[in-house]
């Protein structure tokens, strides 16, 4: 399976009888999957079908699905509600005999609510059914295009993530080879510090200091952290190669990378090794940022 990004855009359109319509799909990053529809009246039943298909194709991201529908060759008509008009005229005639008032004008009568009615064309059940089927098919077309775009972006993300992993591996090997992390180098630095302390005061127990130095040298070793970083690199490469919705698992590994690199930096008392660790931390952060875009 290929990697997929969570971001993408697609559009489809079509016609059916007097109807013309257009779908617009846009997806953005999210922790889970959320599908939000904007549908015109009368097409709500299409949403259930579209939602089911979307959940089968996509597994993560917020998707905004907007449907616009227009109906041509179906002009509305205007008619007079005779019953309401006659009631108004009767009341006007009654009032005219009681008060001095101007006779109602045509403009005035038309402005009275209910006198003029706008009649929408009657719906054709067969046309509406065919239109809804066509709208559902157009959604499938837009969904396929959206998934294809997300896969293209996922391929690019996979290449970028592989590059970051190569950089992390190179920096890990650089840390491995750093002269300052060798046991003899650590012992030499500690021996120098112990000698300085013994020269400053004769109250220090040299044997106890040597024991403490050995413990510090053991704690300063980053062998275990480098091994775990190598394991994380291997797992990440395997996930990228396998593809599919691996964004959450890679995000977890990115956090583990960061934890191990932080430990390496905290253990280091060598300038070169610290510099390598900080550089690795920067690359790990770039890796994590790219992973946030993966499905």
């Amino acid at each position: 399976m290929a990697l997929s990004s969570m971001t993408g855009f697609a559009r489809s359109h079509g016609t059916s009888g007097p109807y013309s319509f257009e779908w617009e799909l846009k997806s953005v990053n999210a922790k889970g999957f959320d599908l939000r529809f904007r549908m015109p009246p009368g097409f709500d039943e299409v949403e259930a079908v579209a939602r089911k298909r979307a959940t089968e194709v996509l597994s993560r991201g917020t998707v905004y699905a907007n449907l616009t529908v227009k109906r041509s060759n179906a002009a509305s008509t205007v008619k007079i509600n005779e019953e309401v008009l006659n009631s108004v005229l009767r009341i006007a005639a009654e009032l005219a005999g009681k008060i001095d008032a101007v006779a109602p004008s045509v403009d005035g009568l038309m402005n009275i609510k209910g006198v003029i009615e706008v009649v929408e064309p009657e719906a054709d059940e067969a046309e509406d059914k065919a239109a809804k089927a066509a709208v559902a098919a157009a959604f499938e077309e837009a969904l396929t295009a959206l998934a294809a775009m997300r896969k293209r972006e996922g391929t690019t993300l996979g290449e970028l993530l592989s590059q970051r992993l190569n950089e992390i591996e190179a920096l890990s090997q650089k840390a491995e080879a750093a002269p300052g992390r060798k046991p003899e180098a650590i012992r030499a630095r500690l021996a120098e510090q112990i000698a300085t302390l013994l020269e400053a005061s004769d109250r220090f127990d040299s044997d106890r200091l040597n024991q403490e130095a050995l413990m510090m040298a053991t704690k300063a070793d980053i062998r275990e952290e480098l091994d775990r970083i190598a394991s994380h690199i291997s797992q990440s490469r395997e996930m990228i190669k396998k593809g599919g919705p691996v964004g959450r698992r890679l995000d977890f590994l990115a956090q583990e990378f960061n934890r191990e690199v932080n430990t390496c930096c905290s253990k280091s008392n060598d300038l070169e090794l610290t510099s390598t660790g900080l550089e690795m931390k920067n690359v790990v952060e770039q890796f994590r940022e790219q992973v946030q875009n993966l499905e």
Side-chain angles (χ1 to χ4, degrees), residues 148-159:
M149 182 177 181
R150 286 168 49 131
K151 280 186 170 60
R152 288 194 298 271
E153 291 194 10
T155 299
T156 301
L157 282 173
E159 294 171 355

Side-chain angles (χ1 to χ4, degrees), residues 253-270:
L253 283 178
Q255 297 176 44
E256 293 299 303
F257 271 127
N258 193 56
R259 183 178 293 110
E260 302 303 339
V261 174
N262 282 337
T263 304
C264 287
C265 291
S266 65
K267 282 187 173 183
S268 173
N269 57 1
D270 176 72

Side-chain angles (χ1 to χ4, degrees), residues 11 17 41 47 59 67-68 71 97 108 118-121 139 185 213 220 239 242 247:
R11 184 184 283 131
E47 180 179 335
S59 62
L67 172 66
T68 56
R71 187 177 181 185
V118 178
V119 181
E120 299 294 338
F139 179 82
M239 288 182 190
K242 180 180 178 181

Side-chain angles (χ1 to χ4, degrees), residues 79-115:
K79 74 172 187 177
I80 296 175
N81 188 320
E82 296 288 349
E83 184 177 347
V84 174
L85 177 60
N86 291 333
S87 297
V88 171
L89 290 174
R90 185 176 61 255
I91 293 172
E94 293 175 358
L95 291 174
K98 298 178 181 179
I99 60 174
D100 185 15
V102 178
S105 65
V106 174
D107 290 346
L109 290 171
M110 291 180 65
N111 285 326
I112 297 174
K113 185 176 181 180
V115 173

Side-chain angles (χ1 to χ4, degrees), residues 8-290:
F9 179 84
R11 184 184 283 131
S12 67
H13 55 83
T15 59
S16 177
Y19 294 98
S20 61
F21 49 85
E22 181 179 79
W23 278 106
E24 187 175 283
L25 305 184
K26 180 176 69 173
S27 68
V28 296
N29 294 356
K31 290 184 178 180
F33 180 67
D34 187 19
L35 183 56
R36 304 179 185 182
F37 282 96
R38 285 186 62 186
M39 310 281 286
F43 285 83
D44 294 340
E45 65 187 73
V46 177
E47 180 179 335
V49 178
R51 185 176 295 277
K52 182 176 183 297
R53 280 297 297 139
T55 56
E56 292 170 353
V57 175
L58 309 174
S59 62
R60 198 173 171 210
T62 296
V63 180
Y64 299 92
N66 183 44
L67 172 66
T68 56
V69 179
K70 294 180 181 179
R71 187 177 181 185
S72 60
N73 302 324
S76 301
T77 58
V78 178
K79 74 172 187 177
I80 296 175
N81 188 320
E82 296 288 349
E83 184 177 347
V84 174
L85 177 60
N86 291 333
S87 297
V88 171
L89 290 174
R90 185 176 61 255
I91 293 172
E94 293 175 358
L95 291 174
K98 298 178 181 179
I99 60 174
D100 185 15
V102 178
S105 65
V106 174
D107 290 346
L109 290 171
M110 291 180 65
N111 285 326
I112 297 174
K113 185 176 181 180
V115 173
I116 300 297
E117 293 182 347
V118 178
V119 181
E120 299 294 338
E122 291 186 6
D124 184 288
E125 186 176 347
E127 286 182 347
D128 288 355
K129 185 176 181 180
K132 291 172 184 176
V135 166
F139 179 82
E140 180 74 25
E141 179 185 343
L143 181 64
T144 300
L146 178 68
M149 182 177 181
R150 286 168 49 131
K151 280 186 170 60
R152 288 194 298 271
E153 291 194 10
T155 299
T156 301
L157 282 173
E159 294 171 355
L160 292 172
L161 291 173
S162 294
Q163 291 175 16
R164 298 293 86 80
L165 289 174
N166 290 341
E167 293 173 19
I168 294 171
E169 184 175 49
L171 289 167
S172 178
Q173 292 171 351
K174 183 179 179 181
E176 171 76 33
R181 71 161 296 273
K182 302 299 181 183
E184 55 271 20
I186 296 173
R187 283 195 294 269
R189 286 195 299 272
L190 291 174
E192 184 179 350
Q193 294 169 5
I194 290 170
T196 301
L197 289 172
L198 289 174
E199 288 176 6
S201 173
D202 57 1
R203 292 183 301 171
F204 290 107
D205 183 341
S206 60
D207 291 336
R208 178 63 184 273
L209 284 175
N210 282 323
Q211 292 175 6
E212 292 293 333
L214 289 173
M215 291 178 63
M216 291 174 65
T218 301
K219 291 180 178 179
D221 186 20
I222 60 171
R223 171 75 273 152
E224 188 176 344
E225 285 72 27
L226 293 177
D227 287 343
R228 281 198 288 263
I229 288 173
S231 174
H232 297 337
I233 291 173
S234 177
Q235 291 181 64
S236 297
R237 284 174 172 161
E238 185 177 345
M239 288 182 190
I240 291 172
K241 182 179 180 181
K242 180 180 178 181
V246 296
R248 286 193 183 93
R249 284 177 285 174
L250 282 173
D251 184 52
F252 171 77
L253 283 178
Q255 297 176 44
E256 293 299 303
F257 271 127
N258 193 56
R259 183 178 293 110
E260 302 303 339
V261 174
N262 282 337
T263 304
C264 287
C265 291
S266 65
K267 282 187 173 183
S268 173
N269 57 1
D270 176 72
L271 184 60
E272 180 185 352
L273 190 56
T274 300
S275 177
T276 301
L278 292 175
E279 189 177 352
M280 196 187 310
K281 183 176 176 65
N282 182 53
V283 178
V284 167
E285 180 60 24
Q286 293 174 12
F287 178 84
R288 190 193 67 82
E289 288 176 356
Q290 295 293 352

